[in-house]
């Protein structure tokens, strides 16, 4: 696996790839099997696979965990090597935001407004900003993103459509641990007792999906789930919602997605399941 650092080094490598199809896997590092499944999906579909690690300051609010976000670069490189990933780019902040300029003309689509958009208003603006910059440099054919961050996946799919960017955004199913907890770099913040609470999140969401499939009223399913989440010991529930799977508007029928964000101790967890 080639490890690329500066933008110049990257652009030289990019020129050598030429017309081969290029799959991109954007990450913020602290890699786990969820990230590796994106790399594997790219290896299947693309001639060449590039992962990048960039902890994007533009998507963190001042009170969030930018300074303490887990960094495990040596382990990340070893994990990526086991997959057969062709290249890893680790740009500096200066490469992506020259002169510290984090301004952007790209506005997230309306699918960014509810749910995460209400609780982390800066977040999707920061995501589309950094991705548009990476897309300009990398010019990938495919970008592989996790369904774990389902709303983010939709926002980026809407972005390429709206701005007529000729890139296919491919969603990859969520990878979970033996207890069903969606793998996340932030799971590293959980202590043992918090972990025991955290594993209830996915169970409650899967029960909700099953109840809806069996014909139960979505309002009642949601009300019961809120009680279950409280009883499970979560400190705060940002949202637990049943939405249209394509635009995240309120819906009771058709293609639905259940999405939740909860806080336990210092850790914010998100998860979602299809109905
Ligand atoms: P992050 O490093 O958290 O920014 O995530 C980078 C990419 O990995 C995003 O597209 C995430 O949706 C994806 N990802 C994170 N966790 C998982 C998971 N458990 N399963 C599948 N993809 C994931």
């Amino acid at each position: 696996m080639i490890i690329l650092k500066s933008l110049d080094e990257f652009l030289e490598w990019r020129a050598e790839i030429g017309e081969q199809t290029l799959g991109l896997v954007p990450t913020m590092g602290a890699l786990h099997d969820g990230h590796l499944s994106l790399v594997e999906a790219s290896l299947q579909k693309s001639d060449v696979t590039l992962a990048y690690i960039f902890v994007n300051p533009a998507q963190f609010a001042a009170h969030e965990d930018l300074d303490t976000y887990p960094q495990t670069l040596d382990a990340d490189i070893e994990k990526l090597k086991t997959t057969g990933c062709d290249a890893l780019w680790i740009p500096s902040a200066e490469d992506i935001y020259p002169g510290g300029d984090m301004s952007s003309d790209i506005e997230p689509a309306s699918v960014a407004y509810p749910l995460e958009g209400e609780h982390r208003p800066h977040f999707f603006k920061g995501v589309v900003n950094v991705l548009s910059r990476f897309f300009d440099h990398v010019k990938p054919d495919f970008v592989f993103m996790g369904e774990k961050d389902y709303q983010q996946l939709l926002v980026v799919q809407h972005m390429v459509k709206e701005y007529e960017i000729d890139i296919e955004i491919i969603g990859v199913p969520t990878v979970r641990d033996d207890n069903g907890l969606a793998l996340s770099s932030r799971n590293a913040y959980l202590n043992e007792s918090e972990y025991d609470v955290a594993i209830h999140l996915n169970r409650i969401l899967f029960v909700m999906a099953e109840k809806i499939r069996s014909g139960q009223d979505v309002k009642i399913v949601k009300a019961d789930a809120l009680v279950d989440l409280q009883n499970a010991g979560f400190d705060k529930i940002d949202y637990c919602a049943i939405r249209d799977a394509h635009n995240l508007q309120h819906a009771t029928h058709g293609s639905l997605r259940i999405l939740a964000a909860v806080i336990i101790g210092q850790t914010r967890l998100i998860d979602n399941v299809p109905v």
Side-chain angles (χ1 to χ4, degrees), residues 7 52 60 81-82 92 108 124 127 145 175 196 201 210 212 252:
L7 178 58
Y52 75 66
F60 289 78
K81 278 184 183 166
T82 65
S92 66
F124 288 124
V127 169
M145 303 188 71
V175 177
D196 289 340
L201 176 60
E210 195 46 50
I212 295 170
T252 53

Side-chain angles (χ1 to χ4, degrees), residues 34-68:
H35 296 111
L36 302 188
S37 75
L38 306 181
V39 172
E40 275 147 21
S42 177
L43 289 167
Q44 298 268 324
K45 193 167 166 83
S46 327
D47 295 331
V48 179
T49 292
L50 168 76
Y52 75 66
I53 294 176
F54 182 67
V55 182
N56 174 30
Q59 70 191 61
F60 289 78
H63 64 277
E64 291 183 345
D65 55 345
L66 174 62
D67 294 337
T68 54

Side-chain angles (χ1 to χ4, degrees), residues 26-28 32 34-35 38 69 145-146 148-149 152 173-175 183:
T27 85
M28 298 206 299
H32 49 65
H35 296 111
L38 306 181
Y69 195 80
M145 303 188 71
K148 156 79 173 35
D149 300 276
Q152 169 174 274
T174 302
V175 177
L183 298 187

